[in-house]
Amino acid sequence: MNEFSILCRVIGTLFNRQPQDPLLVPLFTALKEGKLRAQWPLEQDELLQRLEKDSDPQALASDYNALFIGTECRVSPYASQWPQGKPEAEIRAFLSARGMPLSEAPADHFGVLLLAASWLEDHAEADEFQALSELFDEYLMPWCGSFLGKVEAHATTPFYRTLAALSREAIQAMREELAEIEAEQGEDDEEGDDA
């Protein structure tokens, strides 16, 4: 699994699953022990250290639920609920067309979109960067800044405020990496045309 995939998988999982979910025990353990920071591909040590200090899943549960769960949640994690977001059916069709297995859960959840980026990175064919760019440009970037800003504003724990800041930086870094790869591929295509 490459660095891009790791970033998307970790951040996506932290947003997609409630903190007390048993599947998150290894992730929270790695976080508390500083092992996640040791493996983190971006220079975000200060943010990761802040996450480590406030990473008790039981203490985070009520903040997670108030932020993201139910019709009265403070911040909807679903793209379709944001003016700049796309409809869930469109996102589901995009991911299905790329072969991603989807459950009945809404495909437009912020965490699911990051997990989808990880899956595309790990499983996509030759058009991998095109598909990732489309996922970021069409389905994630238009609304994630507003979403993460609201998470920072409405979170009652430092963990989710910090996770929002870390996510914003990581998503921007990943999009810049995709742009560099696209530029390199464009140059390679031009050189191939010249030959």
Side-chain angles (χ1 to χ4, degrees):
M1 194 179 324
N2 69 28
E3 294 175 346
F4 190 104
S5 182
I6 290 168
L7 290 170
C8 291
R9 180 146 321 156
V10 169
I11 296 168
T13 299
L14 288 171
F15 276 102
N16 194 47
R17 294 191 176 274
Q18 295 193 12
Q20 69 275 27
D21 186 318
L23 292 173
L24 288 185
V25 170
L27 181 54
F28 274 108
T29 300
L31 185 61
K32 284 179 192 171
E33 295 174 355
K35 292 178 181 173
L36 187 61
R37 187 168 19 111
Q39 301 297 316
W40 201 249
L42 298 175
E43 294 294 324
Q44 294 183 298
D45 283 357
E46 183 183 325
L47 291 171
L48 288 164
Q49 286 172 336
R50 289 190 347 220
L51 283 181
E52 290 165 12
K53 290 178 189 170
D54 185 42
S55 59
D56 175 22
Q58 296 308 318
L60 300 175
S62 63
D63 194 21
Y64 182 92
N65 289 335
L67 282 168
F68 308 123
I69 303 296
T71 56
E72 300 298 316
C73 67
R74 292 186 194 125
V75 187
S76 175
Y78 301 102
S80 58
Q81 300 297 310
W82 292 84
Q84 313 91 330
K86 300 283 188 190
E88 192 275 344
E90 183 179 332
I91 294 170
R92 180 173 291 277
F94 169 79
L95 296 174
S96 293
R98 271 129 197 97
M100 183 177 172
L102 295 168
S103 69
E104 295 299 314
D108 65 331
H109 189 286
F110 179 77
V112 170
L113 289 170
L114 287 171
L115 292 169
S118 174
W119 187 90
L120 284 171
E121 177 69 19
D122 293 342
H123 296 93
E125 301 299 322
D127 70 342
E128 160 190 344
F129 295 112
Q130 181 183 353
L132 280 169
S133 293
E134 188 174 346
L135 175 68
F136 270 69
D137 293 344
E138 295 294 320
Y139 304 113
L140 186 61
M141 298 294 285
W143 68 283
C144 77
S146 299
F147 166 74
L148 293 169
K150 283 233 180 197
V151 171
E152 282 183 286
H154 292 284
T156 59
T157 58
F159 182 87
Y160 286 106
R161 286 192 299 272
T162 304
L163 181 60
L166 178 132
S167 301
R168 181 182 291 107
E169 288 181 12
I171 289 168
Q172 188 61 45
M174 288 185 282
R175 186 59 193 100
E176 289 169 7
E177 180 183 329
L178 285 172
E180 289 173 15
I181 293 167
E182 288 169 334
E184 288 171 12
Q185 286 183 339
E187 288 171 12
D188 289 347
D189 290 345
E190 287 177 17
E191 288 173 12
D193 292 344
D194 294 341

